[in-house]
Amino acid sequence: SSWGGTGAERRTWKQLTGTGDSDTGWTKVSSGALDTLAINSGKLYYMGNNSNGAFGIGSTSAQYSSFAQVGSDSDWTDVINHYGQSIALKGGAVYTAGGNGSWAWNTGTDTASGNTTTWTAIDTTKLILGTLIYPYNVDL
C-alpha cells in the first residue's frame, strides 16, 4: 500500500495525522501506482514501494508503515510521482529521481537506462530556448 493501512482501512478515507509540521500543512500529494510523495510545510515525505529509487533517498528500499521525510530540506514546492519516476521543484530548480530509461531525465548523462536514486538537478546545458534537446538525431 502506498498510503499505509491494511484491509478495510484501504477502502475508507482517513486523515493523515502526526506526520510533518502540521496535520493541515499539506500543500501537494502525488500518488503513483505503488508510491506516494507529499509536501508538508516545504518538507518532502514518502511512502510505498520506491521502485527505481523514485523517492530520491539513495536506495530502492520500500517504506510501508508510515510516511518518512526525504532529507532535511524545507524548500520543496511541487512534486509528481508516476510509475517509478518523480520530478519536483525545490529552491527554484527542477529535480528528478527514479527510472531513467530512454533518457527520461535530462540529468546531463547519456545513460539510456538505470535508475537515479538521489534527487538530481536537470542539466540546463541541454536546453535550447527552454526546450529539452532529444538524445536522438532529430530536427526540432
Side-chain angles (χ1 to χ4, degrees), residues 102-104 106 109-110 112 132-138:
S102 301
W103 292 280
N106 194 32
T109 68
D110 60 0
L132 293 176
I133 299 174
Y134 291 94
Y136 310 103
N137 188 12
V138 176

Side-chain angles (χ1 to χ4, degrees), residues 14-37:
K14 181 177 163 183
Q15 182 179 353
L16 179 63
T17 61
T19 300
D21 291 341
S22 165
D23 289 346
T24 59
W26 300 99
T27 55
K28 178 70 178 190
V29 176
S30 181
S31 187
L34 303 171
D35 315 303
T36 299
L37 287 164

Side-chain angles (χ1 to χ4, degrees), residues 66-86:
S66 62
F67 275 92
Q69 186 176 344
V70 175
S72 60
D73 293 342
S74 60
D75 58 346
W76 297 95
T77 56
D78 202 358
V79 66
I80 297 172
N81 171 279
H82 184 69
Y83 288 106
Q85 300 174 325
S86 301

Side-chain angles (χ1 to χ4, degrees), residues 1-3 30-38 44-71 76 79-88 95-99 105 115-120:
S1 172
S2 61
W3 55 85
S30 181
S31 187
L34 303 171
D35 315 303
T36 299
L37 287 164
L44 185 60
Y45 291 86
Y46 63 93
M47 184 190 305
N49 180 276
N50 195 25
S51 61
N52 301 332
F55 295 153
I57 58 172
S59 72
T60 56
S61 298
Q63 168 73 16
Y64 293 114
S65 59
S66 62
F67 275 92
Q69 186 176 344
V70 175
W76 297 95
V79 66
I80 297 172
N81 171 279
H82 184 69
Y83 288 106
Q85 300 174 325
S86 301
I87 190 163
Y95 287 82
T96 60
W105 304 133
N115 302 324
T116 304
T117 60
T118 58
W119 289 99
T120 305

